[in-house]
Amino acid sequence: KSVKPPNGHTLWLGDLSIDTTEQDIIDLFEPCGKIEMICLKVNQLRNGHFGHVKFFDTEAVDKAADLAGTILKGVPIRMDFAEDKPLEAYRSGKDAKPPVTMRPPDCQTVWIGGLPDDATEDSIRRLFDRCGEIKEVRLDASKRSGARFCHVEFVTCEGVDRAVRLSG
């Protein structure tokens, strides 16, 4: 851990499961002190979340830092002290739409992350069947965090386009 900034109120959180919600963070840290702000972002390289939690009182940060390594949604949380920033710095872009990307030519497969533990090949097929004929569904889980994801391969590229429009 780094040294806590003078009068610091913020912790950086890392290696959070993709299933972690703001409510999970509240449930874990609220006993330490009143929370001013939580900001979770997706870490696409690790198929999980990272983020910041800011407390109203600096003493709450010390108590919360003692929870480093606590298992949340099956994953030990990493944390470190962070510089305090204005709330707008954490919220910027939160309501922005996802960036528009171009499907590579001849792409027939879409990746779906953040699946619930009870997701099955049949439930995924039922959800994406309306997008086009499905050639194959490959379910898997992150070896590091256990977060579930899958690849859905369509017979045509148009199935990918329709599936991506379901995002969110």
Side-chain angles (χ1 to χ4, degrees):
K1 262 187 232 170
S2 64
V3 175
K4 177 182 167 187
N7 201 30
H9 293 82
T10 307
L11 282 176
W12 170 86
L13 307 175
D15 291 348
L16 300 171
S17 164
I18 195 73
D19 299 325
T20 302
T21 65
E22 287 189 6
Q23 187 60 54
D24 296 323
I25 301 300
I26 291 168
D27 293 345
L28 179 65
F29 289 113
E30 204 163 47
C32 300
K34 192 165 165 73
I35 297 170
E36 181 177 356
M37 179 278 313
I38 296 169
C39 180
L40 294 179
K41 298 193 178 206
V42 174
N43 181 344
Q44 295 181 352
L45 295 176
R46 293 190 178 215
N47 193 30
H49 284 117
F50 69 96
H52 294 85
V53 59
K54 186 173 184 179
F55 295 88
F56 282 103
D57 298 316
T58 187
E59 296 79 20
V61 174
D62 299 322
K63 292 177 189 170
D66 290 339
L67 297 175
T70 298
I71 305 294
L72 183 62
K73 299 282 184 172
V75 181
I77 299 175
R78 287 180 35 216
M79 59 180 83
D80 201 352
F81 296 110
E83 293 289 330
D84 292 336
K85 296 180 184 174
L87 293 183
E88 301 78 45
Y90 297 104
R91 295 294 174 195
S92 64
K94 199 130 168 119
D95 298 324
K97 294 182 179 178
V100 176
T101 58
M102 297 296 296
R103 174 183 43 78
D106 301 323
C107 174
Q108 295 175 297
T109 304
V110 65
W111 177 88
I112 297 114
L115 295 175
D117 290 338
D118 61 353
T120 64
E121 182 178 332
D122 286 341
S123 65
I124 292 165
R125 281 185 180 275
R126 281 193 304 274
L127 180 62
F128 289 97
D129 222 15
R130 61 185 167 181
C131 298
E133 186 180 345
I134 296 172
K135 184 175 180 181
E136 182 181 23
V137 173
R138 297 182 302 276
L139 272 172
D140 206 346
S142 165
K143 290 170 184 55
R144 189 162 197 275
S145 69
R148 306 265 329 259
F149 65 92
C150 75
H151 293 90
V152 177
E153 185 177 354
F154 292 92
V155 173
T156 66
C157 299
E158 290 77 19
V160 169
D161 294 336
R162 290 184 197 109
V164 168
R165 284 195 290 272
L166 295 178
S167 180

